[in-house]
Amino acid sequence: MTAIDDSPARDPDALRADMVRALRDQDGINSEPVAAAFATVPRHRFAPDAPVEVAYDLHRTVPVKKDENGLELSVMSAAHLQAVMLEQAGIEPGMKVLEIGSGGVNAAYLQELVGKQGEVTTVDIDRDVIDQARRCLDDAGYPQVRTVLADGESGVPGGAPYDRIMVTAAAWDIPPSWIRGLTAAGRLVVPLTLCGTTRSIAFDRDPDGDGLVSRSYSLARFVPMQGEGAAEERKAMLREGVALQTDEVRVPLNGQALNRALDTPRLERWSGAAYDLPDELELYLTLNLSSPARLHASNDVVECGVVEASALFGVPALVSEDSIAYRTRRENEDTGGFESGVIAHGPGAEALADEYVALLRRWAHDHRHRGAATFRYLPGPAPTPLPQNAVLRRHGIVTATWH
Ligand SMILES: C[S@@+](CC[C@H](N)C(=O)[O-])C[C@H]1O[C@@H](n2cnc3c(N)ncnc32)[C@H](O)[C@@H]1O
C-alpha cells in the first residue's frame, strides 16, 4: 500500500528562498541580477497543476504537453538550467530580448532582468503552450511580456533586432533569421544538438567573419525543436535494445552489418589515460571522431554483456560499414579513479580502436579541462573541401577548436 503524504505543502516564498540559495551553491546563479529575478518571480504560478515542491526543485522539469507516444513536447525547464542559460545570456536593463520556446516563467525572469525600459517577446509553435504562458504571465503580474504563436525558425521579425535571442528547445541548426535578428553586439544562447548530445552555447558575432563565435557552453537537455527547423537525424536499430543515431550525412549506418559485428569477439584497448569530466570528453569525441554516431543500449542488453554500461545513456561511437568502436572505462588508481578505453567489434575493429584510443589520449593530455572548446557557426553554403570535423547543417557549418 502506498503511504498517503498528508504533510502540508510548503510555503512558496520559503521554497523560493531555498531554491535561490541552492542555485548559488550549485553554481547555477553567479550574479546578483539573476539571483534577484529568481527571488522575485513566483515560479509555482507557472506550473499551476504541479506540487509546489516540484516547481521549486532545482533539477526537475514540469511536464506541460506530450505527443501521442508520450514524448515530451513541452516542459517547464528545470530552474538550474534556466539560471545557467540566463547567466550565459548576460542580460542587462533596457535590452530587447526574444525567447524561442515559451512557457512563461523564463520570460518572466527575462522581464525582471530587462526591467521597465526593456522588452521581452516569447514565441511558441504550440497554441496550447502559448495560451497557457499568456494566462500565467498575466496571473503572475507580467502583462507587458509579448506572447506570439509562430514557428521560431523565422524569428519574430516585427521586434528585431534583438540584443539577446534565447532558444529553449533543442536546435539542430541556426537559421539565418536568428543571426539577422541580432543587434551588432547581440548574443544568441541556444541549446545546439550535435550527434545526439546537446550543449547550451552562448554565441556572439564573430569579429573575424559574418558568423558566430562561442563565449561559453554548458551541458543541457531540452525537448526537440519542432517545425521547419526540426532535426534531420538518422537511426538504425541493430537489435532489440541496441540503437545507433547520427545526424552526419557522411556516416554509414548499416544496421545489419553492425549487428553482425556485435556477435564477433570484442577487442578491448585501454588508453592509460584518465577518464573524468565525462561531458567534456564526450563533446571532444563527438566532434573529433572521423565517423561519429551515438550508441544506445538498454539495461537488458548491458546485463547480457553484449554492450558495456557506458552505452546506457548514449556513448560516442565510431562506425564504418561493418565495424564499431565505443568508449568504456575501468577503475585504475594510477590514472586517478578511472581509465578510459575502447571496445571494438567487426573486421575493422583494430583500425577503429586505434583512432579512438588516440583521441582519448590526446584529450587527456591536451584538453582535459572545462570549457576547452570554442565553437564557430559559419552561415551559408559549406566551403569545399569541408574543414576537418566540421558538422554540416542546412544553413551553415559548425566547427570547434580545442585549447
Ligand atoms: C522546454 S519548453 C520551453 C520552456 C520555457 N522556456 C520555460 O519558461 O520553462 C520548449 C518549448 O519549445 C517549443 N517549440 C518547439 N519547437 C518550436 C519552434 N519551432 N518554434 C517555437 N517554439 C517551439 C515547444 O512547443 C515547447 O513549448
Side-chain angles (χ1 to χ4, degrees):
M1 210 168 81
T2 320
I4 296 170
D5 181 5
D6 56 2
S7 55
R10 285 194 54 203
D11 169 32
D13 294 343
L15 285 167
R16 193 157 56 252
D18 287 351
M19 175 189 72
V20 173
R21 261 191 300 278
L23 284 171
R24 284 185 192 271
D25 289 348
Q26 294 186 25
D27 224 18
I29 291 180
N30 295 309
S31 71
E32 291 316 311
V34 174
F38 274 76
T40 305
V41 173
R43 187 175 175 84
H44 59 292
R45 295 233 193 156
F46 294 87
D49 300 328
V52 71
E53 286 83 1
V54 175
Y56 284 101
D57 189 297
L58 260 59
H59 299 287
R60 279 172 79 174
T61 59
V62 177
V64 173
K65 189 166 180 177
K66 296 185 179 178
D67 73 5
E68 58 284 3
N69 301 314
L71 183 81
E72 281 182 326
L73 296 176
S74 184
V75 297
M76 181 169 102
S77 300
H80 190 273
L81 180 54
Q82 288 174 327
V84 166
M85 291 179 72
L86 287 165
E87 292 287 5
Q88 284 185 293
I91 295 178
E92 290 169 19
M95 281 186 167
K96 222 171 165 188
V97 182
L98 172 64
E99 180 194 41
I100 296 176
S102 199
V105 68
N106 196 54
Y109 292 141
L110 289 168
Q111 188 65 57
E112 288 292 336
L113 288 164
V114 300
K116 283 199 172 67
Q117 307 306 319
E119 283 175 30
V120 177
T121 301
T122 179
V123 58
D124 204 284
I125 197 167
D126 189 311
R127 179 174 292 282
D128 296 337
V129 174
I130 205 74
D131 286 352
Q132 173 168 321
R134 180 73 272 156
R135 281 194 301 276
C136 292
L137 284 162
D138 289 342
D139 172 59
Y142 297 92
Q144 67 276 53
V145 172
R146 184 158 78 115
T147 46
V148 177
L149 173 66
D151 186 340
E153 173 83 357
S154 311
V156 177
Y162 298 96
D163 299 296
R164 299 287 184 262
I165 297 180
M166 215 172 154
V167 184
T168 63
W172 186 79
D173 197 1
I174 298 180
S177 67
W178 297 356
I179 301 178
R180 244 191 346 257
L182 282 176
T183 58
R187 184 173 304 161
L188 169 70
V189 179
V190 55
L192 197 62
T193 299
L194 302 163
C195 205
T197 176
T198 306
R199 299 292 179 284
S200 168
I201 306 180
F203 281 110
D204 289 342
R205 287 188 184 278
D206 191 343
D208 299 330
D210 54 1
L212 303 171
V213 61
S214 71
R215 52 181 295 129
S216 67
Y217 62 90
S218 180
L219 190 63
R221 261 193 81 206
F222 270 98
V223 299
M225 186 71 71
Q226 305 167 48
E228 250 187 78
E232 283 176 13
E233 271 188 354
R234 293 154 57 221
K235 287 193 178 133
M237 203 68 189
L238 305 198
R239 66 180 68 180
E240 175 95 26
V242 185
L244 267 176
Q245 77 182 110
T246 187
D247 49 15
E248 266 288 334
V249 281
R250 297 163 292 176
V251 174
L253 272 196
N254 186 343
Q256 280 185 346
L258 294 174
N259 190 35
R260 277 196 301 277
L262 283 183
D263 287 329
T264 63
R266 60 163 56 188
L267 173 74
E268 204 173 283
R269 270 287 160 76
W270 294 98
S271 68
Y275 169 76
D276 59 4
L277 301 177
D279 55 316
E280 292 284 346
L281 172 58
E282 174 180 287
L283 187 65
Y284 180 75
L285 293 169
T286 300
L287 284 145
N288 287 282
L289 289 167
S290 61
S291 181
R294 200 168 172 82
L295 176 70
H296 298 265
S298 68
N299 245 326
D300 288 351
V301 171
V302 170
E303 274 170 19
C304 294
V306 178
V307 177
E308 289 284 300
S310 56
L312 276 175
F313 301 102
V315 64
L318 174 61
V319 296
S320 66
E321 286 289 350
D322 57 7
S323 305
I324 179 165
Y326 63 95
R327 184 199 53 72
T328 186
R329 65 169 200 187
R330 68 178 176 189
E331 283 185 34
N332 184 341
E333 278 178 17
D334 293 341
T335 61
F338 289 98
E339 173 189 4
S340 59
V342 177
I343 303 293
H345 295 267
E350 289 274 353
L352 296 192
D354 285 349
E355 176 184 332
Y356 209 124
V357 161
L359 285 177
L360 292 173
R361 290 186 182 133
R362 196 174 315 144
W363 176 79
H365 192 254
D366 297 339
H367 311 297
R368 194 178 132 212
H369 56 94
R370 288 234 160 265
T374 299
F375 298 91
R376 285 194 162 70
Y377 186 84
L378 307 173
T384 44
L386 202 59
Q388 208 198 350
N389 297 329
V391 180
L392 187 60
R393 290 297 190 242
R394 223 173 281 150
H395 301 292
I397 60 168
V398 184
T399 62
T401 47
W402 304 84
H403 28 124

